[in-house]
Amino acid sequence: MSAIESVLHESRVFAPSAEAAAGAAISGMDAYRALMAEAERDYDGFWAKLARETLSWRKPFSKVLDETNAPFYTWFEDGELNASHNCLDRHVEAGNGDRTALIFEADGGEVTRVTYQDLLQRVCRFANALKRRGVKKGDRVVIYMPMSVEGVVAMQACARIGAPHSVVFGGFSSKSLNERLVDVGAVALVTADEQMRGGKALPLKRIADEALAMGGCEAVQSVFVYRRTGGEVEWHAPRDIWMDEAAAQEADTCAPEWVGAEHPLFVLYTSGSTGKPKGVQHSTGGYLLWAAQTIKWTFDWKPSDVFWCTADIGWVTGHTYITYGPLALGATQVVFEGVPTYPDGGRFWNMIEKHKVSVFYTAPTAIRSLIKIAEADAKVHPRSYDLSSLRILGTVGEPINPEAWIWYHEQVGGSRCPVVDTWWQTETGGHMIAPMPGATPLVPGSCTLPLPGIMAAIVDETGQDVPNGQGGILVVKRPWPAMLRTVWGDPERYKKSYFPAELGGKLYLAGDGSVRDKETGYFTIMGRIDDVLNVSGHRLGTMEIESALVSNPIVAEAAVVGRPDDTTGEAVVAFVVLKRPRPEGEEAVKLANELRAWVGKEIGPIAKPKDVRFGDNLPKTRSGKIMRRLLRSLAKGEEITQDVSTLENPAILEQLAQGR
Ligand code: 6R9
């Protein structure tokens, strides 16, 4: 049975325990339905109330949703606020300055605690340092940093002065970093000397120097460098400046820059179905509201919780569920520099025990890899640790197979903690379809129901609703506050990608396929319907990888598809035609490795194909179109049962099926 089939046949239901329901803010399905009904009755009123309760506004808004320039929607437009003020000052002002904001654990295990008061001062110092270097409201700052207190400080400092940040994941190559610096028009870059992961140092500053030297980003006047390891770096004075030295000269107060609710808080690049990544632009007010609100609902968050989201700040999950959401609520959270398997596969469980984590949020790919390790070695099995502090478990980034869900529930959560499977995207800003732990009965493999106010639905290719039980295209029918506002510098692409005319121009197209259960209406996500792969929860465009491959001088043509993978969810398979005769044997192995390294260098190690197969050609129709569905079957090792009569060169299938 395929993973999807096993999800669709899943009949186990886990109702909230009486205890979980009793202590929850949203308790029981009637409470959920009442919120949903409230949103349907008075959409503006519903959101306005949440925005007033959850955020602190410098100038109150009088308008809620404005649809006049659809699909360029605005929310709370005449309101003014500052994200960093909401995340820091207001907690300090309320007397909670001594509360721990961050429990930072480094790769090697050292722990640093930062209170809200400390964090505010550090953010102010760095905000002043940015200003001293001429960075002002509206300027873009790229952040290319390891997981660190400094990374959070850099993001919050940008928010404080109204300079939208664009965080680039530390695993991306110099070329990817260069493309993002150029596209977003950065005036400053914040990086580190090196990054530590699993005991290994990676030269971030060197990659950043390379990216800057590639050109097109001459507007970058300042490079702030966080001294993480003390490793050697090349220095370009006066452009380069140590982050600690810059901050030391500055005052520890900095008045927040009040911005309109629609002011861009950040731009985050993500893969789409064409070659070039899209700069997803988020607002300040609507985004921050949802970052905080979803933590209250999906994780039933309480002030006594110790929250831990294992994502990297380079992805949207790290933005919403590390830098913004938890801090907006005044939460205490763990921030982790390292990897789940270092020094051993018990690292997560050890940290949960040590820091008494109560809400734990991670990716299915991490769970799947830790299952394998734990089942092979009792010492690092979750049962060897005291995980009794856990209350709620969450997953994000990709579908979770019921087997992994059950293991997570039983072995990590002691059959006591609800597992919330959260479906959302870079573009949606925060959770969209997810259970509420005190209300929603859980079904492994299903993200259950839309959160209150989210009008998710499944439609066919013409935008018509399909009945439950019938698969289709996942859409959102009404705008919501945390939705992306545009694609940076490319409003046309925003319209075309997310509000396509074929669906009527009014439905938000998520890019995922989905089906709702006949009886419960629960959603199950069936994966992307476009040319986007999901490898270990990371989005990768097949076209992006293809263009990286064909930029290699020995490659004539390449086609990339995904293949289901037990650990990473999907794996990248590349079919390659060289400008020289098709290699075989050792030569093929050698060239495949070279091409993998090439892709690692062009995009980043996450994009490296797991499998590279060489052919004399690719399967094409007579009109020259590559038949990707055939390649997908070949990648899976399936027998070709499809109609191949339109194929120009059927013999090629046998060659490509053999692999290398
Ligand atoms: C938050 C994040 C978004 C894509 C999305 C979908 C997949 C995310 C999921 C899930 C099944 C879940 N996805 N959560 N699929 N179940 N709970 O991951 O953002 O990196 O933009 O990826 O990830 O395919 O469209 P992003």
Side-chain angles (χ1 to χ4, degrees), residues 215-298:
C217 43
E218 289 70 25
V220 177
Q221 295 284 319
S222 311
V223 177
F224 292 90
V225 187
Y226 158 49
R227 207 189 305 256
R228 165 62 184 89
T229 62
E232 260 197 45
V233 292
E234 251 182 52
W235 207 248
H236 301 265
R239 185 196 74 182
D240 297 354
I241 175 164
W242 290 107
M243 204 176 164
D244 52 349
E245 286 174 12
Q249 307 174 21
E250 303 293 341
D252 60 9
T253 56
C254 169
E257 180 80 42
W258 305 109
V259 299
E262 284 297 313
H263 186 70
L265 181 61
F266 64 86
V267 175
L268 182 60
Y269 285 83
T270 190
S271 296
S273 37
T274 63
K276 202 172 154 239
K278 301 185 263 211
V280 170
Q281 179 182 321
H282 277 288
S283 70
T284 301
Y287 169 81
L288 194 63
L289 161 63
W290 201 226
Q293 186 62 50
T294 49
I295 299 185
K296 289 199 213 165
W297 279 343
T298 314

Side-chain angles (χ1 to χ4, degrees), residues 397-412:
E398 52 184 318
I400 180 161
N401 46 313
E403 298 68 34
W405 193 101
I406 295 285
W407 189 89
Y408 194 33
H409 184 251
E410 290 177 354
Q411 306 302 327
V412 182

Side-chain angles (χ1 to χ4, degrees), residues 171-177 179-180 533 535 540-555 558-560 572-576 591-612 614:
F172 276 119
S173 67
S174 53
K175 183 144 180 259
S176 298
L177 176 58
E179 282 166 6
R180 286 156 175 78
L533 305 182
V535 179
L540 295 168
T542 51
M543 303 248 302
E544 249 174 289
I545 307 176
E546 286 166 10
S547 38
L549 283 165
V550 296
S551 73
N552 185 298
I554 66 168
V555 175
V560 167
V572 178
V573 181
F575 294 92
V576 177
L591 289 176
N593 283 334
E594 267 178 43
L595 291 180
R596 294 181 71 246
W598 174 270
V599 173
K601 198 130 181 50
E602 286 288 296
I603 303 175
I606 48 170
K608 282 183 184 177
K610 183 155 186 182
D611 194 355
V612 179
F614 296 103

